Amino acid sequence: TLAELVNSGMALEDVLPFFTSNVADLLRLTYRGRIAPGCSADLVLLNEECRVESVMVAGRWHILDGTAVIRGQFETAQLEKN
């Protein structure tokens, strides 16, 4: 959806709040959805096609350059079975 909106000519800075701060505000999560002092360091880095490249959660990279750096409990269990 983000890519479609940007590709239709809308500016990224006008579209992002629909996916970030507006959602956080609706859920009353004042420390989420924006980059500011005291907020959680959750970031999603997009490439030029608006595809996810990297993800940071609580200040730690979970996906970096398209590769999972931190795996969850279920992902780890699935890897051990294979």
Side-chain angles (χ1 to χ4, degrees), residues 7 22 24 29 32 48 50 69 75 77:
N7 290 335
N22 289 2
L29 300 173
R32 301 249 185 211
E48 291 175 2
C50 291
V69 177
E75 295 157 318

Side-chain angles (χ1 to χ4, degrees), residues 62 68-80:
H62 283 239
V69 177
I70 296 176
R71 298 188 183 274
Q73 174 183 355
F74 298 108
E75 295 157 318
T76 304
Q78 183 64 28
L79 288 174
E80 290 171 358

Side-chain angles (χ1 to χ4, degrees), residues 2-4 6-7 46-53:
L2 177 67
E4 288 178 18
V6 171
N7 290 335
L46 307 173
N47 65 16
E48 291 175 2
E49 292 84 33
C50 291
R51 294 189 184 274
V52 174
E53 288 287 323

Side-chain angles (χ1 to χ4, degrees), residues 4-75:
E4 288 178 18
L5 291 170
V6 171
N7 290 335
S8 75
M10 294 185 72
L12 183 60
E13 59 270 15
D14 294 333
V15 173
L16 276 180
F18 295 117
F19 299 89
T20 59
S21 58
N22 289 2
V23 176
D25 292 345
L26 240 166
L27 296 172
R28 297 183 179 147
L29 300 173
T30 56
Y31 54 92
R32 301 249 185 211
R34 56 193 47 82
I35 300 172
C39 291
S40 180
D42 296 344
L43 303 171
V44 176
L45 302 181
L46 307 173
N47 65 16
E48 291 175 2
E49 292 84 33
C50 291
R51 294 189 184 274
V52 174
E53 288 287 323
S54 299
V55 177
M56 179 182 277
V57 179
R60 295 180 62 200
W61 290 112
H62 283 239
I63 299 173
L64 188 58
D65 297 324
T67 302
V69 177
I70 296 176
R71 298 188 183 274
Q73 174 183 355
F74 298 108
E75 295 157 318

